[in-house]
Amino acid sequence: YLATAASHRRKGAGTLLVEAAEAWGRSRGAVVSELTTYHDSPSAMPFWTERAGYGVRSVNLRKDL
């Protein structure tokens, strides 16, 4: 789980956290990083797709019963 407080967003903290997590995974043999986020989030999708370089690969659907 990775999140930044609203007061620290758009200052590079999230990017540094993602880069550190990716480096940690790489150093342990990981070759892929996957995540889930909220599609309708006005800040999350641009962060992951534009700043962190992740691409949309699948869509998770949900229905409350």
Side-chain angles (χ1 to χ4, degrees), residues 12 18 26 33 46 48 56-57 63:
V18 170
R26 253 186 244 100
S33 176
W48 290 111
V56 176
R57 181 166 179 186
K63 178 180 179 180

Side-chain angles (χ1 to χ4, degrees), residues 3-65:
T4 54
S7 60
H8 294 291
R9 292 184 188 142
R10 312 256 341 133
K11 297 179 181 176
T15 299
L16 291 173
L17 288 169
V18 170
E19 289 171 352
E22 291 171 345
W24 180 86
R26 253 186 244 100
S27 73
R28 285 156 180 77
V31 295
V32 172
S33 176
E34 293 187 357
L35 64 99
T36 58
T37 193
Y38 291 103
H39 185 266
D40 290 335
S41 171
S43 59
M45 285 300 288
F47 171 79
W48 290 111
T49 60
E50 297 168 20
R51 291 192 67 155
Y54 284 70
V56 176
R57 181 166 179 186
S58 66
V59 175
N60 296 316
L61 304 175
R62 177 182 172 154
K63 178 180 179 180
D64 291 331
L65 302 178

